[in-house]
Amino acid sequence: MIRLHSTRLLGMGLALALLLPPGVATASRASDGLTAGSRRDPALQELADQVVAGPNPNPGAFLFTRRGPDDRFGAAGLADRSTGKPMAPDLRFRTGSVTKTFTATVVLQLVAEHRLRLDDTVQSLLPEQVRTDNALSGAPITVRQLLNHTSGLYDYIDGLLPHFRSLDQYWPRDRLIGIGLARPRYFPAPGTRFRYSNTNYLLLDLIVERITDRDLRTNLERRVFAPLGLRDTSYPLTRTTIDGNHVHGYADVSLLLPDAPDPTRFDVTALSPSEAGASGALVTTAADIARFYRALLQGRLLPPDVLRRMLTDTVPTTGSAPPAVAYGLGIYVYATSCGHAYGHGGSALGYLTFALNSRDGNDQLVAHTNWNPFSDTGIDEDFWAAFQQGYCASAG
């Protein structure tokens, strides 16, 4: 599930011979994964220890930083309570809404290729979605407004509970879009203010598919995963399992499954990622997230003018919790004690992740914990404090 920067943390290598879109450069494969010199850092370790210390419910946590070629980390607790596997930053996990920056990158590549314009409207691109009884019958909504969450469209996540049957149920994209469009808009005039909505990114998914005649997974693999060598990153819509060594996610499911053993820390790893789709279904690792954002911010995925718009065509994130202060085209701007950072947070049921990066992509942090509730238990204060402190420590 994907509620970000809010006190409501709700959750419900391919061949490099592929042609690259304009503005894409192939990354060196020498630094895949953690670097050979990656080492445990005492300050980061102390922060990770605080996240899992009792009485916190977090089974495990890590903070992974990359400054130039230097990798450091702190990791504490367990990645799998049933086996006792320790938490580590090289394990795969569900990223939640960090996925949105990946999706937005594909959309902006199509803008760079002049196959799509930011001012194109959803109504003109997806006319079959417009009905007199749904939210697209109002004022036109542009691609830009989908990307920066100013469309006003209802967030389908908020309407999922009545349709819930099991953690592993498959959610067709059209059904999720239908839930999002069936309810009135949060505000009638698009572009007037920020209101985070996952429905926006499912519509962007449909637009990408319509323009390229390929699904989003294929576009991500050809345009992002393969060029950057993200061999531990996947978009597994129909699979409830996570391949390879991975983190198990835990959640408080007492509202959904009150008779489950240990319902406050129930293993929800087998959640169907179809529930999130283009807004949050990605599985990856800390190193792959860092590699993606560094490539993006250093101009290896988008041409300079389009990247500048991604980062500066921003709106204030009214109602979002600090340190988020603005939202661009698929990317947050964070105000930290050491200056502005760029990235995204991701909330999936059982998983909570944040990625912060300097504007030049040189200083980076990926923080993760494998507990995220279904019930409204408020902000995970220790985790939030840890990732903000960890980023500024890594940035010097």
Side-chain angles (χ1 to χ4, degrees), residues 33-326:
L34 303 182
T35 62
S38 179
R39 60 189 184 274
R40 196 176 294 267
D41 181 90
L44 296 176
Q45 184 61 44
E46 182 178 355
L47 291 171
D49 289 337
Q50 291 172 9
V51 176
V52 302
N56 291 354
N58 311 66
F62 69 74
L63 291 92
F64 168 82
T65 66
R66 179 166 286 172
R67 189 177 187 189
D70 181 45
D71 289 357
R72 301 190 183 196
F73 71 92
L78 300 177
D80 185 346
R81 295 175 66 206
S82 66
T83 65
K85 178 193 293 184
M87 179 61 82
D90 58 348
L91 301 175
R92 295 173 181 168
F93 53 88
R94 301 195 189 281
T95 64
S97 283
V98 174
T99 304
K100 287 184 173 67
T101 310
F102 286 74
T103 300
T105 298
V106 171
V107 171
L108 292 173
Q109 286 176 346
L110 295 176
V111 171
E113 295 164 17
H114 305 291
R115 301 170 71 181
L116 182 66
R117 295 178 304 173
L118 290 173
D119 291 329
D120 286 341
T121 67
V122 180
Q123 287 85 346
S124 65
L125 294 165
L126 305 172
E128 77 286 353
Q129 295 293 327
V130 182
R131 298 201 311 265
T132 57
D133 62 345
N134 76 13
L136 290 182
S137 63
I141 293 169
T142 66
V143 170
R144 177 186 284 104
Q145 291 159 354
L146 295 179
L147 285 165
N148 66 14
H149 295 293
T150 61
S151 71
L153 292 174
Y154 176 77
D155 190 345
Y156 75 86
I157 290 290
D158 290 341
L160 281 187
L161 192 55
H163 306 276
F164 173 80
R165 298 295 177 269
S166 66
L167 290 175
D168 62 355
Q169 77 187 80
Y170 179 76
W171 299 84
R173 178 185 59 192
D174 288 348
R175 185 181 186 193
L176 299 177
I177 290 175
I179 293 171
L181 297 183
R183 298 285 292 272
R185 300 183 188 186
Y186 293 121
F187 45 88
T192 55
R193 63 187 178 91
F194 175 85
R195 180 59 159 84
Y196 195 91
S197 174
N198 293 282
T199 305
N200 295 324
Y201 277 71
L202 296 196
L203 289 170
L204 288 169
D205 177 4
L206 195 52
I207 289 169
V208 167
E209 187 174 289
R210 183 67 49 83
I211 290 174
T212 66
D213 200 29
R214 296 187 179 96
D215 61 18
L216 181 62
R217 176 192 290 108
T218 302
N219 275 283
L220 286 168
E221 289 172 349
R222 294 186 177 189
R223 293 170 172 272
V224 180
F225 301 169
L228 298 184
L230 306 185
R231 295 177 296 192
D232 291 318
T233 302
S234 60
Y235 184 68
L237 281 187
T238 60
R239 300 191 62 181
T240 59
T241 58
I242 300 176
D243 290 337
N245 289 325
H246 61 274
V247 175
H248 282 240
Y250 300 90
D252 181 347
V253 295
S254 53
L255 292 179
L256 285 178
L257 306 170
D259 298 326
D262 196 3
T264 60
R265 283 201 292 177
F266 186 74
D267 191 325
V268 292
T269 309
L271 176 76
S272 171
S274 62
E275 168 269 336
S279 65
L282 215 65
V283 170
T284 188
T285 62
D288 272 10
I289 290 177
R291 170 177 278 236
F292 163 72
Y293 276 107
R294 179 167 289 183
L296 175 65
L297 293 167
Q298 293 183 350
R300 287 185 277 134
L301 288 169
L302 296 171
D305 59 325
V306 178
L307 177 60
R308 184 176 61 253
R309 291 161 87 178
M310 184 185 207
L311 302 179
T312 62
D313 192 353
T314 60
V315 292
T317 50
T318 306
S320 297
V325 293

Side-chain angles (χ1 to χ4, degrees), residues 357-388:
N357 308 267
S358 60
R359 172 61 183 85
D360 62 4
N362 190 64
D363 299 321
Q364 303 181 276
L365 171 133
V366 179
H368 179 76
T369 183
N370 59 340
W371 187 84
N372 197 4
F374 174 81
S375 57
D376 184 3
T377 58
I379 293 175
D380 188 337
E381 298 285 359
D382 288 310
F383 181 70
W384 279 59
F387 83 74
Q388 294 178 66

Side-chain angles (χ1 to χ4, degrees), residues 310-344:
M310 184 185 207
L311 302 179
T312 62
D313 192 353
T314 60
V315 292
T317 50
T318 306
S320 297
V325 293
Y327 199 90
L329 304 181
I331 196 164
Y332 270 103
V333 181
Y334 299 103
T336 74
S337 61
C338 52
H340 279 168
Y342 300 82
H344 218 291

